[in-house]
Amino acid sequence: MIKNGMGAAVRRKEDYRFITGNGQYVDDINRPNQVYAYIVRSPVAHARLASVDTAAARAVPGVVAVLTGADMATDGIGGLPCGWGIHNKDGSPMAEPGHPPLAAEVVRYVGDQVAVVIAESKAIARDASELVEVDYDELPAVAGLVAASADGAALVWDEAPGNICYDWEIGDQAATEAAFASAKQIASIDVVNNRLIANAMEPRSAIGEYDSGKDEHTLYTTSQNPHVIRLLMGAFVMGIPEHKLRVIAPDVGGGFGSKIFHYAEEAIVTWAAKKIKRPIKWTAERSESFISDAHGRDHVTHAEMAMDENGIFVGLRVSTRANLGAYLSTFGPSVPTYLYATLLAGTYKTPAIYAEVKGMFTNTVPVDAYRGAGRPEASYLLERLVDRAAKVAGLDPIEIRRRNFIQPDEFPYQTPVALEYDTGDYGAAVDKALELGDYDSFDKRKAESAGRGKLRGIGISTYIEACGLAPSNIAGALGARAGLYEAGTVRVNPTGSVTVLTGSHSHGQGHETTFAQLVTEALGVDFDLVEIVHGDTGKVPFGMGTYGSRSAAVGGVALVNALEKIRTKAKKIAAHLLEASEEDIEFKEGQLTVAGTDKAVAFSDVAMAAYVPHNYPLETLEPGLEETAFYDPKNFTFPAGCHICEVEIDPDTGVVDVVSFTAADDFGRVINPMIVEGQVHGGVAQGIGQALYEQCIYDESGQLMSGSLMDYCLPKADNIPDFSVTTSVTPCTHNVLGVKGCGEAGAIGAPPAVINAVLNALAKYEVDDIQMPATPERVWRAIQSAAK
Amino acid sequence: MEIKGEYQIDAPRQAVWEALNDPEMLKKCIPGCESLEKVGDAKFAAKVTAAVGPVRAKFNTSLSLEDLNPPVSYRLVGESKAAAGFGRGSATVELEEQDGGTLLRYDADFKVGGKLAQVGSRLVMGATKKTADQFFSAFSKELDPGAARVDAAVESTAEPSFPWTYVLSGASFVVLLIWWFLLR
């Protein structure tokens, strides 16, 4: 194996700058003559703007401008676009109301943007914002799915009767009904998938800058996909062509999906910077992030599994209501539909599946993708339902899973809900997890816990997810309004160092390391001589960014394809230099050798020859050594795995302690096992967070109650056990790397494993349901009500 | 959210009523009160700077007094607004002669919004109690500099669905409600 190549646990290159405080985040950037923006946000969930009086704020010394939605409308600024259209059961398009960056007439959630105050300092802007007099004529609000669905509920949008954005379906309803009619046993469940707030460590930030000499805009922003922002904001909001708009997303401190989307503040600073002819910086305060970053999850679902007499699944029907918030965020509509219901087959051969999803508007922050985006909701529902089915069928939870798994010889496997799984071995992952988690001796540990007065429980999930978004033609047929390929450029410099320009974006994933490993593997170039450039539309030709665990499976493959082009050209150059036939050149570990001889040339010499073409086949080959590849995947990738969680519950207090967590994941081939393990750790920690701690709560009037880190409980180090993590590999069959993606799996597999473990621990009380988060109060109440 | 409380004040009921209706007295005793004026029949406007935990803001408060029954009871309805959020609600206040002094009881039902609701929920009860204590302490001293004894008890009943708290602003709002309605 080549040093620091594919499969090596190389330490992350980027960490030195991060841990020494030398990362360069948007808020670290300051432009000459810069001013600061503070956004005036609605304190009410739904109101007509009777008046917005900015005179007092404008009079404050140091205030440069105060701009409102009316100013934006006057300038013809467009609304924030939605990138995915969903159709109703009857074929009609979803309700798609407009989304002005600054509200001009009506505000629809607490946090909706009303005005922007721009001043010489952030403090002045903030102080002056308190003088913006807004007269809100309050309207009735609906702050959750239940309220929004009620008869006679107030409407978020007049054009969406019943607050329904869409009423969508997938699967064969008739076949599913027939399966239920013939079923011997049926298990049913009602679950709430709790609403979450991503809480990336770095709050969102944006700097707008305008060069009047060149008529060029630059936007620095905390984004996972700067080219997508350039496209969305340039084409749909601002009317700026690509060549006049540069979007830079430098170091970004965590995204988890919440930084995919095109946000109002990006458009506001870009627009205002041209108006006032000075660069403008906006950085969210933490409490502002809570009410302006897109939230995640928020489903209410009823589902039923039909089985034959042996516990074999014969049909699944699912009815879900999903909260989309007050406006459609960039990918909001796709999350509870194509990223959720298409995964309802899970790892099982259920032959008939029918799911219907109502996307609902509410007077809350827009909801969109959050780590896993639809697949955690599917996995949680299904893995909870399968445990319940095991109970109904009188089977062990592992046995019922094994009976229903798609078997290794049944791939490719077409599910009843649109996807075709390419490969997998779900039983193998279970075997590995059971062994690593020492499943067989659980009873001993349970007895030991009982000796200390604690209730120990064990829970399993055998999740699957779809990532590597996505085959553009399939995504397009399903309503995506963008292509989902990726681009990569490999620039070999004259001395043999390599600069990679990738459309993927690293905001914690470690691309500077893993992508460098791919270069080292392909070209034999020293790992330290490879630089990965990302996050700048002015440098990287094109890209679609990082989300849906797509960087390796799409961006990495684009890079490998570009590297293959470099290898091909390098062989041609080497053949010329070595006076041999191109077919005889072997390219291995940085040396190009004439097969069967000791005639060789180093790759760095080939690079020099390409840029100093004195001895070079100029008649047939261009000088230079730079290649670009665009890669559009043939299919999604399907990471899957088995997660086992053990909890200990204090029956007196209801406190749940996760005491062990085992993951055996199939991510396909692994580029860097250390980074993959880190991704699993982070994902599982967030999954434990959803299962036990995190919950976004609105009161009935639409005020966010869990609006700070005092009230929104993120998991902390002492809530998380040491993880036991391993991989169980079946390489992806349709990309050259064989990779599947690992970024979200932890957040997908963990929540059902944790809750199944909690219910297992409470088995003696016959508690058969508990909703996330399983807080001490809920667990204690469940024990108390069962004890009665 | 609902907040109830009662205070024993060592002064006759009539004196308490009158003091509660004396803008100068109230202004002196309300923590952070910058101005307090009568803007109509049984309507008042006040500016109060309140700090609760991390939120500090200047609240513009408008109040009206209803169901006046001197010197026994009245109802205060009001709204308090600041950049940090808003509070609105109503409170009933009753004065009862007890132990040679006056027992003041209030029962407030109010709502907070904006940053106050978002950030302050856990702090509102404590802050309310503290602000109310400060007021009554000052008020008692003004009425009876010798005694200066205040027994304060604040109990809260948050709705079960929100075991969380509300904001600081809520606190200042309640205090404002109580005092303002006492004004004339």
Side-chain angles (χ1 to χ4, degrees):
Chain A
M1 190 168 85
I2 193 159
K3 191 183 172 210
N4 296 333
M6 181 88 183
V10 187
R11 278 198 185 183
R12 288 167 32 122
K13 274 188 174 191
E14 46 271 80
D15 284 349
Y16 183 77
R17 88 170 175 275
F18 293 147
I19 64 177
T20 54
N22 288 305
Q24 183 81 348
Y25 299 88
V26 174
D27 195 56
D28 294 321
I29 295 166
N30 291 298
R31 304 299 300 160
N33 211 24
Q34 171 181 292
V35 289
Y36 298 82
Y38 191 87
I39 309 279
V40 177
R41 297 182 184 277
S42 173
V44 295
H46 198 189
R48 190 162 293 285
L49 295 175
S51 67
V52 182
D53 182 354
T54 61
R58 277 187 279 120
V60 172
V63 169
V64 177
V66 182
L67 302 169
T68 66
D71 298 319
M72 225 172 197
T74 303
D75 287 358
I77 302 302
L80 305 177
C82 177
W84 203 305
I86 299 295
H87 286 79
N88 293 304
K89 288 171 179 171
D90 64 8
S92 59
M94 67 183 184
E96 192 171 355
H99 189 180
L102 286 172
E105 293 171 5
V106 175
V107 288
R108 289 188 166 82
Y109 64 93
V110 171
D112 207 351
Q113 300 81 212
V114 175
V116 57
V117 179
I118 299 160
E120 298 291 345
S121 76
K122 189 167 182 173
I124 295 171
R126 187 183 167 152
D127 284 353
S129 76
E130 302 193 358
L131 301 174
V132 176
E133 283 283 333
V134 185
D135 197 357
Y136 298 95
D137 276 353
E138 280 196 63
L139 300 166
V142 287
L145 286 168
V146 174
S149 317
D151 284 342
L155 293 184
V156 181
W157 295 97
D158 292 338
E159 57 261 57
N163 290 312
I164 295 170
C165 174
Y166 53 74
D167 183 5
W168 173 90
E169 66 183 347
I170 191 170
D172 187 334
Q173 187 174 19
T176 306
E177 294 307 322
F180 272 83
S182 69
K184 295 289 186 293
Q185 327 179 62
I186 294 173
S188 68
I189 197 165
D190 289 281
V191 301
V192 175
N193 203 285
N194 42 328
R195 185 178 178 113
L196 303 177
I197 302 173
N199 276 301
M201 194 178 290
E202 177 205 23
R204 287 190 299 115
S205 183
I207 302 170
E209 184 169 14
Y210 178 67
D211 180 336
S212 57
K214 295 180 182 168
D215 187 30
E216 281 179 4
H217 295 265
T218 302
L219 170 68
Y220 299 84
T221 182
T222 47
S223 176
Q224 300 177 211
N225 30 241
H227 289 85
V228 174
I229 302 304
R230 183 181 65 168
L231 176 68
L232 293 174
M233 186 176 82
F236 297 97
V237 185
M238 304 291 303
I240 307 170
E242 285 91 336
H243 67 289
K244 293 295 186 189
L245 173 58
R246 178 178 177 189
V247 178
I248 300 171
D251 285 332
V252 173
F256 313 113
S258 71
K259 291 173 182 167
I260 297 171
F261 324 119
H262 176 35
Y263 283 99
E265 296 85 358
E266 295 168 326
I268 292 169
V269 296
T270 302
W271 163 67
K274 181 173 181 180
K275 254 182 131 57
I276 67 164
K277 299 188 170 57
R278 293 177 68 176
I280 302 171
K281 178 191 280 188
W282 168 81
T283 300
E285 298 174 352
R286 176 60 61 184
S287 59
E288 208 175 357
S289 300
F290 273 89
I291 55 168
S292 68
D293 292 3
H295 293 177
R297 317 282 194 257
D298 205 346
H299 286 195
V300 174
T301 297
H302 174 75
E304 294 164 291
M305 181 72 87
M307 294 175 280
D308 71 6
E309 61 278 15
N310 297 315
I312 301 298
F313 305 155
V314 296
L316 170 67
R317 60 186 172 205
V318 175
S319 176
T320 293
R321 281 176 293 159
N323 192 341
L324 300 174
Y327 299 91
L328 297 180
S329 178
T330 310
F331 290 114
S334 68
V335 175
T337 50
Y338 292 108
L339 296 177
Y340 162 70
T342 52
L343 272 302
L344 288 170
T347 47
Y348 313 107
K349 282 188 283 190
T350 316
I353 299 176
Y354 175 72
E356 51 189 352
V357 179
K358 279 197 179 113
M360 312 280 302
F361 289 113
T362 61
N363 293 109
T364 63
V365 173
V367 180
D368 207 323
Y370 167 59
R371 202 167 192 169
R375 292 101 79 204
E377 294 90 317
S379 165
Y380 179 67
L381 171 67
L382 198 58
E383 294 301 305
R384 287 283 319 276
L385 180 56
V386 167
D387 257 35
R388 193 163 279 193
K391 216 170 177 181
V392 169
L395 293 172
D396 177 83
I398 292 169
E399 174 58 24
I400 198 170
R401 286 175 167 83
R402 288 195 196 274
R403 283 189 192 184
N404 286 284
F405 277 155
I406 301 158
Q407 296 302 314
D409 59 358
E410 292 173 315
F411 294 100
Y413 178 84
Q414 176 65 50
T415 74
V417 276
L419 298 178
E420 187 189 87
Y421 300 163
D422 62 329
T423 181
D425 187 345
Y426 311 132
V430 170
D431 293 340
K432 276 204 162 181
L434 294 182
E435 190 191 341
L436 186 63
D438 197 10
Y439 186 83
D440 289 342
S441 57
F442 171 71
D443 286 346
K444 266 189 221 160
R445 297 192 293 279
K446 186 182 173 84
E448 190 276 324
S449 297
R452 288 182 284 110
K454 299 288 176 69
L455 305 166
R456 198 176 185 106
I458 192 163
I460 186 171
S461 78
T462 49
Y463 74 93
I464 189 166
E465 61 140 331
C467 51
L469 274 57
S472 294
N473 53 352
I474 297 178
L478 301 181
R481 292 165 176 166
L484 289 163
Y485 48 82
E486 194 49 88
T489 296
V490 178
R491 177 179 297 155
V492 180
N493 300 310
T495 61
S497 66
V498 174
T499 303
V500 170
L501 310 168
T502 175
S504 295
H505 186 279
S506 180
H507 32 280
Q509 290 85 351
H511 297 161
E512 289 169 45
T513 303
T514 47
F515 284 5
Q517 288 179 254
L518 296 178
V519 174
T520 296
E521 179 76 23
L523 305 181
V525 173
D526 190 293
F527 179 73
D528 293 326
L529 291 178
V530 183
E531 190 192 10
I532 308 298
V533 175
H534 69 92
D536 184 347
T537 65
K539 291 181 181 170
V540 178
F542 207 74
M544 293 306 294
T546 287
Y547 40 85
S549 303
R550 68 193 302 274
S551 294
V554 190
V557 174
L559 170 57
V560 166
N561 288 351
L563 287 166
E564 193 51 40
K565 293 185 187 180
I566 294 284
R567 284 174 59 89
T568 302
K569 186 168 180 180
K571 283 185 189 172
K572 289 187 172 142
I573 299 168
H576 177 87
L577 294 174
L578 297 170
E579 298 175 336
S581 154
E582 187 187 330
E583 292 74 41
D584 292 336
I585 301 295
E586 288 178 348
F587 188 168
K588 228 173 128 185
E589 296 185 15
Q591 292 287 316
L592 294 101
T593 309
V594 181
T597 75
D598 59 358
K599 284 172 69 181
V601 59
F603 177 67
S604 57
D605 293 331
V606 169
M608 185 58 80
Y611 287 96
V612 188
H614 297 164
N615 176 17
Y616 194 87
L618 285 167
E619 318 75 47
T620 56
L621 209 57
E622 294 173 14
L625 198 50
E626 174 170 328
E627 297 287 352
T628 293
F630 279 65
Y631 173 69
D632 201 287
K634 295 186 191 70
N635 192 355
F636 296 89
T637 61
F638 299 99
C642 178
H643 287 186
I644 299 176
C645 178
E646 278 186 43
V647 299
E648 245 184 24
I649 295 175
D650 182 335
D652 294 333
T653 62
V655 170
V656 178
D657 191 11
V658 177
V659 289
S660 106
F661 200 100
T662 305
D665 297 297
D666 180 357
F667 298 135
R669 287 179 71 206
V670 168
I671 300 171
N672 183 323
M674 185 162 64
I675 286 178
V676 166
E677 187 171 340
Q679 288 282 327
V680 174
H681 287 191
V684 171
Q686 281 177 310
I688 291 173
Q690 172 165 29
L692 297 181
Y693 305 107
E694 299 182 38
Q695 183 167 32
C696 172
I697 296 176
Y698 280 94
D699 75 4
E700 74 286 349
S701 67
Q703 294 294 333
L704 179 63
M705 296 290 95
S706 54
S708 78
L709 291 173
M710 292 185 294
D711 301 288
Y712 186 89
C713 183
L714 290 173
K716 290 163 278 290
D718 63 344
N719 302 131
I720 306 295
D722 284 336
F723 300 113
S724 303
V725 176
T726 188
T727 54
S728 173
V729 175
T730 62
C732 175
T733 60
H734 57 78
N735 68 52
V736 293
L737 275 171
V739 297
K740 296 183 179 179
C742 65
E744 297 160 290
I748 294 167
V754 174
I755 297 299
N756 285 340
V758 169
L759 291 173
N760 179 257
L762 300 178
K764 75 168 181 181
Y765 299 100
E766 295 183 0
V767 173
D768 60 5
D769 195 23
I770 201 150
Q771 300 288 358
M772 298 191 291
T775 57
E777 183 196 351
R778 284 180 174 169
V779 173
W780 185 85
R781 282 185 193 282
I783 292 171
Q784 295 306 308
S785 58
K788 274 172 195 162
Chain B
M1 81 193 299
E2 283 179 45
I3 296 189
K4 295 178 184 180
E6 52 183 53
Y7 291 86
Q8 177 71 28
I9 300 166
D10 289 338
R13 181 163 73 175
Q14 186 63 33
V16 173
W17 178 270
E18 282 169 13
L20 286 174
N21 287 287
D22 174 1
E24 281 309 311
M25 177 78 167
L26 292 173
K27 197 170 146 184
K28 213 183 281 181
C29 299
I30 292 168
C33 184
E34 290 172 17
S35 71
L36 183 64
E37 53 187 289
K38 191 165 179 177
V39 293
D41 201 19
K43 289 194 192 312
F44 302 88
K47 281 187 170 43
V48 176
T49 299
V52 187
V55 178
R56 180 182 168 84
K58 189 178 288 184
F59 288 87
N60 285 317
T61 299
S62 60
L63 291 163
S64 58
L65 306 186
E66 298 174 1
D67 306 335
L68 288 166
N69 178 22
V72 180
S73 66
Y74 60 83
R75 185 174 139 81
L76 178 61
V77 179
E79 179 165 358
S80 220
K81 285 206 299 198
F86 63 85
R88 71 170 70 102
S90 63
T92 55
V93 179
E94 291 173 341
L95 301 179
E96 191 184 313
E97 292 179 329
Q98 187 172 296
D99 300 338
T102 304
L103 179 69
L104 182 152
R105 266 197 216 99
Y106 70 88
D107 185 345
D109 187 4
F110 69 101
K111 231 161 110 151
V112 294
K115 192 167 281 186
L116 285 176
Q118 190 194 339
V119 180
S121 35
R122 282 183 196 278
L123 305 173
V124 122
M125 292 295 181
T128 303
K129 181 181 183 327
K130 188 178 163 202
T131 312
D133 284 352
Q134 283 173 351
F135 173 81
F136 281 107
S137 172
F139 189 69
S140 281
K141 278 183 190 158
E142 289 290 330
L143 280 175
D144 182 1
R149 183 180 70 82
V150 178
D151 284 336
V154 175
E155 65 181 59
S156 65
T157 47
E159 291 173 43
S161 57
F162 303 139
W164 340 101
T165 3
Y166 283 69
V167 190
L168 331 165
S169 62
S172 58
F173 176 61
V174 168
V175 171
L176 290 174
L177 286 176
I178 295 168
W179 312 135
W180 306 142
F181 73 82
L182 304 173
L183 304 173
R184 287 233 163 163

